[in-house]
Amino acid sequence: MVVQLHPVAMRVAELLAPHVERQGFELVSVEYQKGTRSSLLRLLVDRPGGGIALSDLERLSPVLGDLLDVYDPIEGRYTLEVASPGVNRPLTRREDFEAFVGQRVRIKTHRAMDGQKSFTGVLASVNEEGVEIDDEPSRRRLRIGFGEMKGANHEYDFDGAGRRRSHRTLCARPPTRRFRIGR
């Protein structure tokens, strides 16, 4: 993984990835959020090439839960969530980034670069050190190293124009006008 994960998430990914692959799926990402009373462990699983079904997740969830009980990599109570990565798929491995070259992505960094920590634009290239992205707001090509990334994901472009639609574009009817009667 080129994007750094929480140490617990990294350990879980190392333990479970081979088991998930033997079932015919891929472990896309592992998220771990430590809580005061209970923590959350979220496993994002997909079929190679995409398209996992709810029935696949239902079948896989108890298997992964049993494996976690055997390995016991997490101290204390936690909630296990097994889910699809969705349309805005997380990018954690170099192969993930390479698969989305030419597509819209969002990258969050640990530290601000030019006053911002979140960058959205077309992924231009990938190399051993990081990526180049054509940042939409600044209209500049930026280099972001893998070590600087807090997280990254594919940003599905719903309208095909490179930007999300505004509220007005999404509404089928014009906004309601309100009139005040009296004083």
Side-chain angles (χ1 to χ4, degrees), residues 81-100:
E81 195 177 289
V82 179
S84 154
V87 293
N88 290 339
R89 179 189 178 101
L91 308 175
T92 57
R93 300 170 299 199
R94 184 172 168 188
E95 303 85 52
D96 297 336
F97 286 94
E98 290 169 346
F100 286 94

Side-chain angles (χ1 to χ4, degrees), residues 1-39:
M1 304 241 173
V2 292
V3 175
Q4 294 301 311
L5 299 176
H6 187 282
V8 171
M10 186 65 98
R11 176 80 177 125
V12 169
E14 290 169 0
L15 293 170
L16 296 183
H19 297 285
V20 172
E21 288 171 12
R22 275 196 292 276
Q23 298 287 324
F25 303 101
E26 70 174 309
L27 186 59
V28 174
S29 181
V30 178
E31 300 170 15
Y32 177 73
Q33 297 170 359
K34 179 97 172 119
T36 51
R37 291 186 180 184
S38 181
S39 300

Side-chain angles (χ1 to χ4, degrees), residues 91 97-106 121-124 133 136 153-157:
L91 308 175
F97 286 94
E98 290 169 346
F100 286 94
V101 169
Q103 297 188 44
R104 194 165 186 252
V105 298
R106 178 179 306 261
V122 174
L123 183 60
I133 179 175
E136 289 174 1
N153 61 282
H154 173 245
E155 275 289 301
Y156 186 79
D157 190 6

Side-chain angles (χ1 to χ4, degrees), residues 66-83:
D66 291 346
L67 287 167
L68 287 166
D69 288 343
V70 170
Y71 289 126
D72 199 23
I74 301 172
E75 291 183 25
R77 296 175 49 142
Y78 66 92
T79 301
L80 173 63
E81 195 177 289
V82 179

Side-chain angles (χ1 to χ4, degrees), residues 66-176:
D66 291 346
L67 287 167
L68 287 166
D69 288 343
V70 170
Y71 289 126
D72 199 23
I74 301 172
E75 291 183 25
R77 296 175 49 142
Y78 66 92
T79 301
L80 173 63
E81 195 177 289
V82 179
S84 154
V87 293
N88 290 339
R89 179 189 178 101
L91 308 175
T92 57
R93 300 170 299 199
R94 184 172 168 188
E95 303 85 52
D96 297 336
F97 286 94
E98 290 169 346
F100 286 94
V101 169
Q103 297 188 44
R104 194 165 186 252
V105 298
R106 178 179 306 261
I107 299 174
K108 293 184 180 182
T109 58
H110 293 287
R111 289 183 210 67
M113 296 171 55
D114 295 330
Q116 67 185 80
K117 289 182 165 184
S118 183
F119 304 89
T120 302
V122 174
L123 183 60
S125 67
V126 180
N127 61 37
E128 301 81 37
E129 291 86 36
V131 301
E132 287 188 340
I133 179 175
D134 292 329
D135 186 49
E136 289 174 1
S138 69
R139 296 179 185 229
R140 295 183 306 150
R141 181 163 286 187
L142 304 172
R143 285 189 176 141
I144 303 174
F146 290 125
E148 300 171 53
M149 291 182 195
K150 183 176 184 178
N153 61 282
H154 173 245
E155 275 289 301
Y156 186 79
D157 190 6
F158 288 96
D159 64 355
R163 294 187 312 240
R164 297 223 185 261
R165 295 181 191 174
S166 69
H167 175 69
R168 287 185 183 165
T169 318
L170 292 173
C171 292
R173 59 189 173 141
T176 308

